Amino acid sequence: MTGGSTSVEELLELEPEALLDRDLWPHVAPEKVPEPRIFNPWIIALVVTMGTFMEVLDTSIANVALPHIAGSLSASQDESTWVLTSYLVANAIILPISGWISSVMGRKNFYLVSVVLFTVFSALCGLAPTLGMLVVFRVLQGLAGGGLQPSVQAILADAFPGEKRGMAMAVYTVAILCAPVLGPTLGGWITDNYSWRWIFYINIPVGILCAFFTRMVLVDPAALTAKRLLQKGKKLRIDVGGLALVSLGLASLEIVLDRGQELDWLGSTFISWCAAIAVFSIIGAIVWELHVKNPVVNLRLLKERNFLFCCMIVLGLYTALYATTFLLPQYMQELMGYDATTAGLAVSPAGLVTMIEVPMIGWLLSRGADARRMIFVGIVTIALGTWWLSLGNLQMAESDLIWPRVLQIMGLGMTTVPLSTIMFRFLPADQSSNAAGIYALVRNEGGSIGIALSSTFLQRAQQTHQTYLTANLTTSNTLAMQASHAMGAVQRGSASDQAYAGLALLYAQVHRQASLLAYMDQYRMFGYMLAAMLPLVFFLKRPPKIVGKIELEAH
């Protein structure tokens, strides 16, 4: 096939590397052919990870500030939760379609626009005069920032060769693991010492720096630029049906997961309608995207075995991680008397361990270590840490909470870095943005599912344990009556007042014990779930040590 006889349609069917042959570019002016520009990939990694850290931090930094936001803006606590829900819904919409957007705009342009808009809407969130305006700006902030996570993974996958990709993904993993851990602690400190508005204002200097350096060092891969130039002048085909179904389905699903427990799940008409819309829209989106020629979300990538099982593993991992991250501070505050800041500080050492461990994992991968073995050991380590938490009691020391959490996060580092490294190995190079978008969506949905499951089963387990325990609080139970009299005897008042006070104090102790048992049940449940994921590791293929271009069999 010669350059003169090659049509644009034929060129677009070529692999990205083939497009680097400029003899095949009869339809593009020579001065528009991209010249390769070389930057140190580690500078690129640090710059783009800065923006991702900022975006992931905002998923959790507002959690502890909700009472302050509600009071400041004259809203109820229930209404203020839409500050969190709106951001998660917007993230869920943009994550899977970020690959398609970056293919249209260019990866550099998409990342730069996302950082700039995220910074602008962060400033507007801080300036919001009413809760309604704050929710609107949070939606726009979530739409702007949602594409940063998958963009970074795709950028790192293209910037680093296969044998060095482990270290690059280690830098990215430090950001996405440390940000949720530091978010509540930082948010609590800022809110207590300044104002809740500063949790948004702190994004402004970081965003400005990130945008400046992104404009300076980031360039699109020449092969992807080639495809974009060849498509210039052609009518842009937008998968409107797929875009509508994906957006509607994921937005409805996120509302169900985030608000379901609070509104009594299907006992609420609103949640029932959202659930029905989510089911029909997501099923319709899957059918539509698998049959349309140019899908906005390329679900055909899941035909590749490694990518499919990596997504399944990361869904389970982040379900367990976010569930325990939600449960642990709540347990420390409700049952052990910690304040919000102290509870946040107690789980912070896990983030410090991650910063030390993850680069070591990346180095081992760059030396040829088998990623599958690391994933297996990592899942076992997370499961052991989660099980360790289930052995707690109401007299445990702070160190008895810190070390299980450290073990959990150590296992997560051993798992997520190899997963991020091998998920791209058997995919076409031009599909890295699409793959990263799907992967990031699965990770975020795992977090939402984990929080929804843990909050629902926690309440129901508390009720169950309380029912069993209070069944023994009868007048015929001598030990119960003795305990009630002993507790009431130290109270002032008449004999009847002391009797009522004793029963109230005894019931409070029963409630605490029921809550403790419920928390322990949740940790055991997620420990079992993690153990059940281990067989999935055996379905992963080991990539070759010297990585070249590996074609996807499904394409």
Side-chain angles (χ1 to χ4, degrees), residues 242-327:
L243 183 61
L245 288 170
V246 169
S247 301
L248 185 61
L250 291 175
S252 302
L253 176 62
E254 194 60 51
I255 291 173
V256 170
L257 293 173
D258 197 55
R259 304 280 289 175
Q261 172 61 22
E262 191 176 339
L263 300 178
D264 193 26
W265 295 104
L266 297 181
S268 162
T269 304
F270 174 67
I271 293 297
S272 298
W273 273 106
C274 286
I277 292 170
V279 170
F280 286 110
S281 298
I282 291 174
I283 292 174
I286 292 171
V287 174
W288 179 279
E289 296 296 84
L290 288 175
H291 290 87
V292 74
K293 184 178 179 182
N294 297 304
V296 68
V297 181
N298 190 3
L299 296 179
R300 298 182 184 95
L301 296 177
L302 294 171
K303 292 180 180 179
E304 203 289 299
R305 194 174 79 196
N306 259 35
F307 184 63
L308 172 63
F309 285 104
C310 281
C311 287
M312 292 174 65
I313 292 171
V314 86
L315 178 68
L317 284 178
Y318 277 83
T319 296
L321 173 69
Y322 274 75
T324 52
T325 302
F326 166 78
L327 291 169

Coordinates of all heavy atoms in Angstrom, one line a residue, residues 242-327:
G242 N -25.6 6.2 23.1 CA -24.8 5.6 24.2 C -24.5 6.6 25.3 O -24.5 6.3 26.5
L243 N -24.2 7.8 24.9 CA -23.9 8.9 25.8 C -25.0 9.1 26.8 O -24.8 9.2 28.0 CB -23.5 10.2 25.1 CG -23.1 11.4 25.9 CD1 -21.8 11.0 26.7 CD2 -22.8 12.6 25.0
A244 N -26.2 9.2 26.2 CA -27.4 9.4 27.1 C -27.7 8.2 28.0 O -28.0 8.4 29.2 CB -28.6 9.6 26.2
L245 N -27.6 7.0 27.5 CA -27.9 5.8 28.3 C -26.8 5.7 29.5 O -27.2 5.4 30.6 CB -27.9 4.6 27.5 CG -29.1 4.4 26.6 CD1 -28.9 3.3 25.6 CD2 -30.4 4.2 27.4
V246 N -25.5 5.9 29.1 CA -24.5 5.7 30.1 C -24.6 6.8 31.2 O -24.5 6.5 32.4 CB -23.1 5.8 29.4 CG1 -22.0 6.0 30.5 CG2 -22.8 4.6 28.6
S247 N -24.8 8.1 30.8 CA -25.0 9.2 31.7 C -26.2 9.0 32.7 O -26.0 9.1 33.9 CB -25.1 10.5 31.0 OG -24.0 10.7 30.2
L248 N -27.3 8.6 32.1 CA -28.5 8.5 32.9 C -28.4 7.3 33.8 O -28.8 7.3 35.0 CB -29.7 8.3 32.0 CG -31.1 8.2 32.6 CD1 -31.4 9.5 33.4 CD2 -32.2 8.0 31.6
G249 N -27.9 6.2 33.3 CA -27.7 5.0 34.1 C -26.8 5.1 35.3 O -27.1 4.8 36.4
L250 N -25.6 5.7 35.0 CA -24.6 5.8 36.1 C -25.0 6.9 37.1 O -24.8 6.7 38.3 CB -23.3 6.2 35.5 CG -22.6 5.0 34.7 CD1 -21.3 5.5 34.1 CD2 -22.3 3.8 35.6
A251 N -25.7 8.0 36.7 CA -26.1 9.0 37.6 C -27.2 8.4 38.5 O -27.2 8.7 39.7 CB -26.7 10.2 36.8
S252 N -28.1 7.7 38.0 CA -29.2 7.1 38.8 C -28.6 6.0 39.8 O -29.0 6.0 40.9 CB -30.2 6.4 37.9 OG -30.8 7.3 37.0
L253 N -27.7 5.2 39.3 CA -27.0 4.2 40.2 C -26.3 4.9 41.3 O -26.4 4.4 42.5 CB -26.1 3.4 39.3 CG -25.3 2.3 40.1 CD1 -26.2 1.3 40.8 CD2 -24.2 1.6 39.2
E254 N -25.6 6.0 41.0 CA -24.9 6.7 42.1 C -25.8 7.2 43.2 O -25.5 7.2 44.4 CB -24.0 7.8 41.5 CG -23.0 8.3 42.4 CD -22.0 7.3 42.9 OE1 -21.4 6.6 42.1 OE2 -21.8 7.2 44.1
I255 N -26.9 7.8 42.7 CA -27.9 8.3 43.7 C -28.5 7.2 44.5 O -28.7 7.3 45.8 CB -29.1 9.0 42.9 CG1 -28.6 10.3 42.3 CG2 -30.2 9.3 43.8 CD1 -29.5 11.0 41.4
V256 N -28.8 6.0 43.9 CA -29.3 4.9 44.7 C -28.3 4.4 45.7 O -28.6 4.2 46.9 CB -29.6 3.7 43.7 CG1 -29.9 2.4 44.5 CG2 -30.8 4.0 42.8
L257 N -27.0 4.3 45.3 CA -26.0 3.8 46.3 C -25.7 4.8 47.4 O -25.5 4.5 48.5 CB -24.7 3.5 45.5 CG -24.7 2.3 44.5 CD1 -23.4 2.3 43.7 CD2 -25.0 1.0 45.3
D258 N -25.7 6.1 47.1 CA -25.4 7.1 48.0 C -26.5 7.5 49.0 O -26.3 7.9 50.1 CB -24.9 8.4 47.3 CG -24.1 9.3 48.2 OD1 -23.1 8.8 48.8 OD2 -24.4 10.5 48.3
R259 N -27.7 7.4 48.5 CA -28.9 7.9 49.3 C -29.8 6.8 49.7 O -30.8 7.0 50.5 CB -29.7 8.9 48.5 CG -28.9 10.1 48.0 CD -28.7 11.1 49.0 NE -29.9 11.8 49.3 CZ -30.1 12.7 50.3 NH1 -29.1 13.0 51.1 NH2 -31.2 13.3 50.5
G260 N -29.5 5.5 49.2 CA -30.5 4.4 49.5 C -30.7 4.1 50.9 O -31.9 4.0 51.4
Q261 N -29.7 4.0 51.7 CA -29.8 3.6 53.1 C -30.5 4.7 53.9 O -31.4 4.5 54.7 CB -28.4 3.4 53.7 CG -28.4 3.2 55.2 CD -29.2 2.0 55.7 OE1 -29.5 1.1 54.9 NE2 -29.7 2.1 57.0
E262 N -30.2 6.0 53.6 CA -30.8 7.1 54.3 C -32.3 7.2 54.0 O -33.1 7.6 54.9 CB -30.1 8.4 53.8 CG -30.5 9.6 54.7 CD -29.7 10.8 54.2 OE1 -28.6 10.6 53.6 OE2 -30.1 11.9 54.5
L263 N -32.7 6.8 52.8 CA -34.2 6.9 52.4 C -34.9 5.6 52.4 O -36.0 5.5 51.8 CB -34.2 7.5 51.0 CG -33.6 8.9 50.8 CD1 -33.7 9.4 49.4 CD2 -34.3 9.9 51.8
D264 N -34.3 4.5 53.0 CA -34.9 3.2 53.2 C -35.1 2.5 51.9 O -36.1 1.8 51.6 CB -36.3 3.4 53.9 CG -36.9 2.1 54.3 OD1 -36.1 1.1 54.6 OD2 -38.1 1.9 54.4
W265 N -34.1 2.6 51.0 CA -34.0 1.8 49.8 C -35.3 1.8 49.0 O -35.9 2.8 48.7 CB -33.5 0.4 50.1 CG -32.1 0.4 50.6 CD1 -31.7 0.2 51.9 CD2 -30.9 0.7 49.9 NE1 -30.3 0.4 52.0 CE2 -29.8 0.6 50.8 CE3 -30.6 1.0 48.5 CZ2 -28.5 0.9 50.4 CZ3 -29.3 1.2 48.2 CH2 -28.2 1.1 49.1
L266 N -35.8 0.6 48.7 CA -37.0 0.5 47.9 C -38.3 0.9 48.6 O -39.4 0.9 48.0 CB -37.1 -0.9 47.3 CG -36.0 -1.3 46.3 CD1 -36.2 -2.7 45.8 CD2 -35.8 -0.3 45.2
G267 N -38.2 1.2 49.9 CA -39.3 1.8 50.6 C -39.6 3.2 50.2 O -40.6 3.8 50.5
S268 N -38.6 3.8 49.5 CA -38.8 5.2 49.0 C -39.1 5.2 47.5 O -38.5 4.5 46.7 CB -37.4 5.9 49.2 OG -37.4 7.1 48.4
T269 N -40.1 5.9 47.2 CA -40.6 6.0 45.8 C -39.5 6.6 44.9 O -39.2 6.1 43.8 CB -41.8 6.9 45.7 OG1 -42.9 6.4 46.5 CG2 -42.3 6.9 44.2
F270 N -38.8 7.6 45.5 CA -37.7 8.2 44.7 C -36.6 7.2 44.4 O -36.1 7.1 43.3 CB -37.1 9.4 45.5 CG -35.9 10.1 44.9 CD1 -36.0 10.8 43.8 CD2 -34.7 10.0 45.6 CE1 -34.8 11.4 43.2 CE2 -33.5 10.6 45.1 CZ -33.6 11.3 43.9
I271 N -36.1 6.5 45.4 CA -35.1 5.5 45.2 C -35.5 4.4 44.3 O -34.8 3.9 43.4 CB -34.6 4.9 46.6 CG1 -33.9 6.0 47.4 CG2 -33.6 3.7 46.3 CD1 -32.7 6.6 46.8
S272 N -36.8 4.0 44.4 CA -37.3 2.9 43.5 C -37.3 3.4 42.0 O -36.9 2.6 41.2 CB -38.8 2.6 43.9 OG -38.9 2.1 45.2
W273 N -37.7 4.6 41.8 CA -37.6 5.1 40.4 C -36.2 5.2 39.9 O -35.9 4.8 38.8 CB -38.3 6.5 40.3 CG -39.8 6.4 40.1 CD1 -40.7 6.7 41.0 CD2 -40.4 6.1 38.9 NE1 -42.0 6.5 40.5 CE2 -41.8 6.1 39.1 CE3 -40.0 5.7 37.6 CZ2 -42.8 5.8 38.2 CZ3 -40.9 5.4 36.6 CH2 -42.3 5.5 36.9
C274 N -35.3 5.7 40.8 CA -33.9 5.8 40.4 C -33.3 4.4 40.1 O -32.5 4.2 39.1 CB -33.1 6.5 41.5 SG -33.3 8.2 41.6
A275 N -33.7 3.4 40.9 CA -33.2 2.0 40.7 C -33.7 1.5 39.4 O -32.9 0.8 38.6 CB -33.6 1.2 41.9
A276 N -35.0 1.7 39.1 CA -35.5 1.2 37.8 C -34.8 1.9 36.6 O -34.5 1.2 35.6 CB -37.0 1.5 37.8
I277 N -34.6 3.2 36.7 CA -34.0 3.9 35.6 C -32.5 3.4 35.4 O -32.1 3.2 34.3 CB -34.0 5.4 35.9 CG1 -35.4 6.0 35.8 CG2 -33.1 6.2 34.9 CD1 -35.6 7.4 36.3
A278 N -31.8 3.2 36.6 CA -30.5 2.7 36.5 C -30.4 1.3 35.8 O -29.5 1.1 35.0 CB -29.9 2.6 37.9
V279 N -31.3 0.4 36.2 CA -31.2 -1.0 35.6 C -31.5 -0.9 34.1 O -30.7 -1.5 33.4 CB -32.3 -1.9 36.4 CG1 -32.4 -3.2 35.6 CG2 -31.8 -2.1 37.8
F280 N -32.6 -0.3 33.7 CA -32.9 -0.3 32.3 C -31.9 0.5 31.5 O -31.5 0.1 30.4 CB -34.3 0.3 32.1 CG -35.4 -0.6 32.5 CD1 -36.2 -0.3 33.7 CD2 -35.7 -1.8 31.8 CE1 -37.2 -1.2 34.1 CE2 -36.7 -2.6 32.2 CZ -37.4 -2.3 33.3
S281 N -31.4 1.6 32.0 CA -30.4 2.4 31.3 C -29.1 1.7 31.1 O -28.5 1.7 30.0 CB -30.2 3.8 32.0 OG -31.4 4.5 32.0
I282 N -28.6 1.0 32.2 CA -27.3 0.4 32.1 C -27.4 -0.9 31.2 O -26.5 -1.1 30.4 CB -26.8 0.0 33.5 CG1 -26.5 1.2 34.3 CG2 -25.6 -1.0 33.5 CD1 -26.1 1.0 35.8
I283 N -28.5 -1.6 31.3 CA -28.6 -2.8 30.4 C -28.7 -2.3 29.0 O -28.1 -2.9 28.1 CB -29.9 -3.6 30.8 CG1 -29.7 -4.3 32.1 CG2 -30.2 -4.6 29.7 CD1 -30.9 -5.0 32.6
G284 N -29.5 -1.2 28.7 CA -29.6 -0.7 27.4 C -28.3 -0.2 26.9 O -27.9 -0.3 25.7
A285 N -27.5 0.5 27.8 CA -26.2 1.0 27.4 C -25.2 -0.1 27.0 O -24.5 0.0 26.0 CB -25.6 1.8 28.5
I286 N -25.2 -1.2 27.7 CA -24.4 -2.4 27.4 C -24.7 -2.9 26.0 O -23.8 -3.2 25.2 CB -24.5 -3.5 28.5 CG1 -23.9 -3.0 29.8 CG2 -23.8 -4.8 28.1 CD1 -24.2 -3.9 31.0
V287 N -26.0 -3.2 25.8 CA -26.4 -3.7 24.5 C -26.1 -2.7 23.4 O -25.5 -3.1 22.3 CB -27.9 -4.0 24.5 CG1 -28.4 -4.4 23.1 CG2 -28.3 -5.1 25.5
W288 N -26.3 -1.5 23.6 CA -26.1 -0.4 22.6 C -24.6 -0.3 22.3 O -24.2 -0.3 21.1 CB -26.6 0.9 23.1 CG -26.4 2.1 22.1 CD1 -25.3 2.8 22.0 CD2 -27.3 2.6 21.2 NE1 -25.4 3.8 21.0 CE2 -26.7 3.7 20.5 CE3 -28.7 2.3 20.9 CZ2 -27.3 4.4 19.5 CZ3 -29.3 3.0 19.9 CH2 -28.7 4.1 19.2
E289 N -23.7 -0.2 23.3 CA -22.3 0.0 23.1 C -21.6 -1.2 22.5 O -20.6 -1.0 21.8 CB -21.7 0.4 24.4 CG -22.1 1.7 25.1 CD -21.8 2.9 24.3 OE1 -22.6 3.2 23.3 OE2 -20.8 3.5 24.5
L290 N -22.1 -2.3 22.7 CA -21.5 -3.5 22.1 C -21.8 -3.7 20.6 O -21.2 -4.5 19.9 CB -21.9 -4.8 22.8 CG -21.3 -5.0 24.2 CD1 -21.9 -6.2 24.9 CD2 -19.8 -5.1 24.2
H291 N -22.8 -2.9 20.1 CA -23.3 -3.1 18.7 C -23.0 -1.9 17.9 O -23.0 -2.0 16.6 CB -24.8 -3.5 18.7 CG -25.1 -4.9 19.2 ND1 -25.3 -5.1 20.5 CD2 -25.1 -6.0 18.5 CE1 -25.5 -6.4 20.7 NE2 -25.4 -7.0 19.5
V292 N -22.9 -0.7 18.5 CA -22.6 0.5 17.7 C -21.2 0.5 17.2 O -20.3 0.0 17.8 CB -22.9 1.8 18.5 CG1 -21.9 2.0 19.6 CG2 -23.1 3.0 17.7
K293 N -20.9 1.1 16.0 CA -19.6 1.1 15.4 C -18.6 1.9 16.2 O -17.4 1.4 16.4 CB -19.7 1.6 14.0 CG -18.4 1.5 13.2 CD -18.5 2.0 11.8 CE -17.1 1.9 11.1 NZ -17.2 2.4 9.7
N294 N -18.9 3.1 16.6 CA -18.0 4.0 17.3 C -18.5 4.3 18.7 O -19.1 5.4 18.9 CB -17.6 5.3 16.6 CG -17.0 5.0 15.2 OD1 -15.9 4.3 15.2 ND2 -17.6 5.4 14.1
P295 N -18.4 3.4 19.7 CA -19.1 3.6 21.0 C -18.4 4.7 21.8 O -17.2 4.9 21.7 CB -18.9 2.2 21.7 CG -17.7 1.6 21.1 CD -17.7 2.1 19.6
V296 N -19.1 5.4 22.6 CA -18.6 6.4 23.5 C -17.8 5.7 24.6 O -16.8 6.2 25.2 CB -19.7 7.3 24.0 CG1 -20.6 6.6 25.0 CG2 -19.1 8.6 24.7
V297 N -18.2 4.5 25.0 CA -17.5 3.6 26.0 C -17.2 2.3 25.3 O -18.2 1.6 25.0 CB -18.3 3.4 27.3 CG1 -17.6 2.6 28.3 CG2 -18.7 4.7 27.9
N298 N -16.0 2.0 25.1 CA -15.6 0.8 24.4 C -15.6 -0.4 25.3 O -14.6 -0.9 25.7 CB -14.2 1.0 23.7 CG -13.9 -0.1 22.7 OD1 -14.7 -1.0 22.5 ND2 -12.7 -0.1 22.2
L299 N -16.8 -1.0 25.5 CA -16.9 -2.2 26.3 C -16.3 -3.4 25.7 O -16.1 -4.4 26.4 CB -18.4 -2.5 26.6 CG -19.1 -1.4 27.4 CD1 -20.6 -1.8 27.6 CD2 -18.5 -1.2 28.8
R300 N -16.0 -3.4 24.4 CA -15.3 -4.5 23.7 C -13.9 -4.8 24.3 O -13.4 -5.9 24.2 CB -15.2 -4.3 22.2 CG -16.5 -4.1 21.5 CD -16.4 -3.9 20.0 NE -17.6 -3.6 19.4 CZ -18.1 -2.4 19.1 NH1 -17.4 -1.4 19.4 NH2 -19.3 -2.3 18.5
L301 N -13.4 -3.8 25.0 CA -12.1 -4.0 25.7 C -12.2 -5.1 26.7 O -11.2 -5.7 27.1 CB -11.6 -2.7 26.3 CG -11.3 -1.6 25.4 CD1 -10.9 -0.3 26.2 CD2 -10.2 -1.9 24.4
L302 N -13.4 -5.3 27.3 CA -13.5 -6.3 28.3 C -13.4 -7.7 27.8 O -13.4 -8.7 28.5 CB -14.9 -6.1 29.1 CG -15.0 -4.8 29.9 CD1 -16.4 -4.6 30.4 CD2 -14.0 -4.8 31.1
K303 N -13.4 -7.9 26.5 CA -13.1 -9.2 25.9 C -11.7 -9.7 26.1 O -11.4 -10.9 26.1 CB -13.4 -9.2 24.4 CG -14.8 -8.9 24.0 CD -15.0 -8.9 22.5 CE -16.5 -8.6 22.1 NZ -16.6 -8.6 20.6
E304 N -10.8 -8.7 26.4 CA -9.4 -9.1 26.7 C -9.4 -9.6 28.2 O -9.8 -8.9 29.1 CB -8.5 -7.9 26.6 CG -7.1 -8.2 26.3 CD -6.4 -8.8 27.6 OE1 -6.3 -8.1 28.6 OE2 -5.9 -9.9 27.5
R305 N -8.9 -10.8 28.4 CA -9.0 -11.5 29.7 C -8.3 -10.7 30.8 O -8.9 -10.5 31.9 CB -8.4 -12.9 29.6 CG -8.7 -13.8 30.7 CD -8.2 -15.2 30.5 NE -6.7 -15.2 30.8 CZ -5.9 -16.2 30.3 NH1 -6.4 -17.1 29.5 NH2 -4.7 -16.2 30.7
N306 N -7.1 -10.2 30.6 CA -6.4 -9.5 31.7 C -7.2 -8.3 32.1 O -7.3 -8.0 33.3 CB -5.0 -9.1 31.3 CG -4.0 -10.1 31.8 OD1 -4.2 -11.3 32.0 ND2 -2.8 -9.5 32.2
F307 N -7.7 -7.5 31.2 CA -8.4 -6.3 31.5 C -9.7 -6.6 32.3 O -10.0 -5.9 33.3 CB -8.7 -5.5 30.3 CG -9.3 -4.1 30.5 CD1 -8.6 -3.2 31.2 CD2 -10.6 -3.9 30.1 CE1 -9.2 -1.9 31.5 CE2 -11.2 -2.6 30.3 CZ -10.5 -1.7 31.0
L308 N -10.4 -7.6 31.8 CA -11.7 -8.0 32.5 C -11.4 -8.4 33.9 O -12.1 -7.9 34.9 CB -12.3 -9.1 31.7 CG -13.5 -9.8 32.4 CD1 -14.7 -8.8 32.5 CD2 -14.0 -11.0 31.6
F309 N -10.4 -9.2 34.2 CA -10.2 -9.7 35.6 C -9.6 -8.7 36.4 O -9.8 -8.6 37.6 CB -9.4 -11.0 35.5 CG -10.3 -12.2 35.1 CD1 -10.2 -12.7 33.8 CD2 -11.2 -12.7 36.0 CE1 -10.9 -13.8 33.4 CE2 -12.0 -13.8 35.6 CZ -11.9 -14.3 34.3
C310 N -8.8 -7.8 35.8 CA -8.2 -6.6 36.6 C -9.4 -5.8 37.1 O -9.4 -5.3 38.3 CB -7.3 -5.8 35.7 SG -5.6 -6.5 35.6
C311 N -10.4 -5.5 36.2 CA -11.5 -4.7 36.6 C -12.3 -5.4 37.7 O -12.8 -4.7 38.7 CB -12.4 -4.4 35.4 SG -11.7 -3.2 34.3
M312 N -12.5 -6.7 37.6 CA -13.3 -7.4 38.6 C -12.5 -7.4 40.0 O -13.1 -7.2 41.0 CB -13.5 -8.9 38.2 CG -14.4 -9.0 37.0 SD -14.5 -10.7 36.4 CE -15.2 -11.6 37.8
I313 N -11.2 -7.6 40.0 CA -10.4 -7.5 41.2 C -10.5 -6.1 41.8 O -10.7 -6.0 43.1 CB -9.0 -8.0 40.9 CG1 -8.9 -9.5 40.6 CG2 -8.1 -7.7 42.2 CD1 -7.6 -9.9 40.1
V314 N -10.3 -5.1 41.0 CA -10.3 -3.8 41.6 C -11.6 -3.4 42.1 O -11.7 -2.6 43.1 CB -9.7 -2.7 40.6 CG1 -10.8 -2.2 39.6 CG2 -9.0 -1.6 41.3
L315 N -12.7 -3.9 41.5 CA -14.1 -3.6 42.0 C -14.2 -4.1 43.5 O -14.7 -3.4 44.4 CB -15.1 -4.2 41.1 CG -16.6 -4.1 41.6 CD1 -17.0 -2.6 41.5 CD2 -17.5 -4.9 40.7
G316 N -13.7 -5.4 43.7 CA -13.8 -6.0 45.0 C -12.9 -5.3 46.0 O -13.3 -5.0 47.2
L317 N -11.7 -4.9 45.5 CA -10.7 -4.3 46.4 C -11.2 -3.0 47.0 O -11.2 -2.7 48.2 CB -9.4 -4.0 45.7 CG -8.5 -5.2 45.5 CD1 -7.2 -4.8 44.7 CD2 -8.0 -5.8 46.8
Y318 N -11.8 -2.1 46.1 CA -12.2 -0.8 46.5 C -13.5 -0.9 47.3 O -13.8 0.0 48.0 CB -12.2 0.2 45.3 CG -10.8 0.7 45.1 CD1 -9.9 0.0 44.3 CD2 -10.4 1.9 45.6 CE1 -8.6 0.5 44.1 CE2 -9.2 2.4 45.4 CZ -8.3 1.7 44.7 OH -7.0 2.2 44.5
T319 N -14.3 -1.9 47.0 CA -15.5 -2.1 47.8 C -15.1 -2.3 49.3 O -15.6 -1.7 50.2 CB -16.3 -3.3 47.3 OG1 -16.8 -3.1 46.0 CG2 -17.5 -3.6 48.2
A320 N -14.1 -3.2 49.5 CA -13.7 -3.5 50.9 C -12.9 -2.3 51.5 O -13.1 -1.9 52.6 CB -12.8 -4.7 50.9
L321 N -12.1 -1.6 50.7 CA -11.3 -0.5 51.2 C -12.2 0.6 51.6 O -12.0 1.2 52.8 CB -10.3 0.0 50.1 CG -9.6 1.3 50.4 CD1 -8.6 1.0 51.6 CD2 -8.9 1.9 49.2
Y322 N -13.1 1.1 50.8 CA -14.0 2.2 51.1 C -14.9 1.9 52.3 O -15.3 2.7 53.1 CB -14.7 2.7 49.9 CG -13.9 3.7 49.1 CD1 -12.9 3.3 48.3 CD2 -14.2 5.1 49.2 CE1 -12.2 4.2 47.5 CE2 -13.5 6.0 48.4 CZ -12.5 5.6 47.6 OH -11.8 6.5 46.9
A323 N -15.4 0.6 52.3 CA -16.2 0.2 53.4 C -15.5 0.3 54.8 O -16.1 0.9 55.7 CB -16.7 -1.3 53.2
T324 N -14.3 -0.2 54.8 CA -13.6 -0.2 56.1 C -13.1 1.3 56.4 O -13.0 1.6 57.6 CB -12.3 -1.1 56.1 OG1 -11.5 -0.8 54.9 CG2 -12.8 -2.6 56.0
T325 N -12.8 2.0 55.4 CA -12.5 3.5 55.6 C -13.7 4.2 56.1 O -13.5 5.1 57.0 CB -12.0 4.1 54.3 OG1 -10.9 3.4 53.8 CG2 -11.6 5.5 54.5
F326 N -14.9 3.8 55.7 CA -16.1 4.5 56.2 C -16.4 4.0 57.7 O -16.8 4.8 58.5 CB -17.3 4.1 55.3 CG -18.6 4.4 55.9 CD1 -19.1 5.6 55.9 CD2 -19.4 3.3 56.4 CE1 -20.4 5.9 56.5 CE2 -20.6 3.6 56.9 CZ -21.1 4.9 57.0
L327 N -16.1 2.7 58.0 CA -16.5 2.1 59.2 C -15.6 2.5 60.4 O -16.0 2.7 61.5 CB -16.6 0.6 59.1 CG -17.7 0.0 58.3 CD1 -17.5 -1.5 58.1 CD2 -19.0 0.2 59.0

